[in-house]
Amino acid sequence: MKLTVVGCSGSFPSAESACSSYLVEADGFRLLLDMGNGALGELQRHCGLYDLDAIFLSHLHADHCIDMCAYFVARYYRHDGGRCDPIPVYGPEGTEHRLTTAYADTPTASSMSEVFDFHTVKPSTFDIGPFTVHTERVRHPVEAYGIRIEHAGKSLTYSGDTGVSETLEQLARNTDLFLCEAAFTHGKENIPDLHLNGREAGQTAKRAGARKLVLTHIPPWTDPQVNLSDAREEFRGPVELAAPRASYEI
Ligand SMILES: [Zn+2]
Ligand SMILES: [Zn+2]
């Protein structure tokens, strides 16, 4: 499978990157993980507006889902004469309501469900197209999920947003590529159950036995090089920073 970083800025967009969004492709199937601020624009560098096959939202903070409002417009008012059947959207309980109210303060729930086929995520194992996915709750102030995606004997694990989490460690067990948030900096921010710092991301990767670590969700006000070197002190495998338009064959 192929992973492409659509956006990787943490919490709010930077001059260089949209917020969280990652395209995962295999066998001609396109699964998008998260669609934060600015992601819909960037996504069009990588595929057509209507080329996605499924969307997974790790949680309902704006920096992970808010461009779904723009994507609703693009699908509902499609201008090229084509028709948009509902695309599967996997998200936490309340995803449809959250997106509907973010879009407008008048109820448009029925309209949104005309172009999005909402599925409520719970900790479980299920198939999305050619992928087998495992979802687990991670530690964040709202209901949030990490996801492990498997295809052809390889795996990708995405942390979503989380504080230190044993469940995440188990989810990432021996994973080929661990896409892990490192929003905080060791010694600078320390709020439990919110985000990982570089050191904690490295420790999680080490304990999980991950083969490769890619740090993501670093906010524009944070020096990514500090988080990168903190992670490298803990995890001896390859570590790098996510960057917009970077892609990985897994
Ligand atoms: Zn976030
Ligand atoms: Zn969040």
Side-chain angles (χ1 to χ4, degrees), residues 9-12 19-20 34 58-59 61-64 140 158 160-161 181 183 195 217:
S9 188
S11 304
F12 59 97
C19 283
S20 294
D34 286 342
S58 64
H59 65 298
H61 278 156
D63 58 318
H64 296 257
H140 204 52
Y158 169 48
D161 282 7
E181 76 119 290
H195 289 298
H217 199 286

Side-chain angles (χ1 to χ4, degrees), residues 11-164:
S11 304
F12 59 97
S14 70
E16 288 78 34
S17 180
C19 283
S20 294
S21 192
Y22 311 93
L23 183 62
V24 184
E25 299 169 86
D27 301 345
F29 190 96
R30 292 187 180 91
L31 166 65
L32 192 72
L33 308 178
D34 286 342
M35 201 189 282
N37 319 58
L40 187 63
E42 282 293 316
L43 178 67
Q44 293 167 76
R45 294 177 185 273
H46 306 291
C47 69
L49 264 183
Y50 305 113
D51 292 342
L52 293 179
D53 295 294
I55 298 166
F56 173 86
L57 302 175
S58 64
H59 65 298
L60 299 177
H61 278 156
D63 58 318
H64 296 257
C65 72
I66 205 66
D67 267 23
M68 288 292 288
C69 293
Y71 195 42
F72 164 71
V73 174
R75 290 186 74 86
Y76 192 78
Y77 299 101
R78 183 168 176 166
H79 259 50
D80 64 1
R83 186 187 141 73
C84 280
D85 291 326
I87 182 176
V89 176
Y90 300 85
E93 185 88 49
T95 295
E96 180 173 4
H97 179 74
R98 172 79 172 85
L99 295 178
T100 297
T101 50
Y103 177 68
D105 58 6
T106 51
T108 53
S110 59
S111 307
M112 233 178 221
S113 61
E114 283 179 44
V115 294
F116 296 139
D117 179 18
F118 291 102
H119 299 262
T120 301
V121 172
K122 295 286 171 200
S124 63
T125 298
F126 53 101
D127 290 339
I128 302 179
F131 306 109
T132 299
V133 307
H134 308 270
T135 52
E136 288 289 357
R137 283 288 297 271
V138 289
R139 301 178 78 90
H140 204 52
V142 299
E143 184 178 345
Y145 290 89
I147 183 170
R148 180 186 179 109
I149 300 166
E150 297 179 345
H151 179 265
K154 298 287 184 182
S155 70
L156 156 70
T157 303
Y158 169 48
S159 64
D161 282 7
T162 183
V164 174

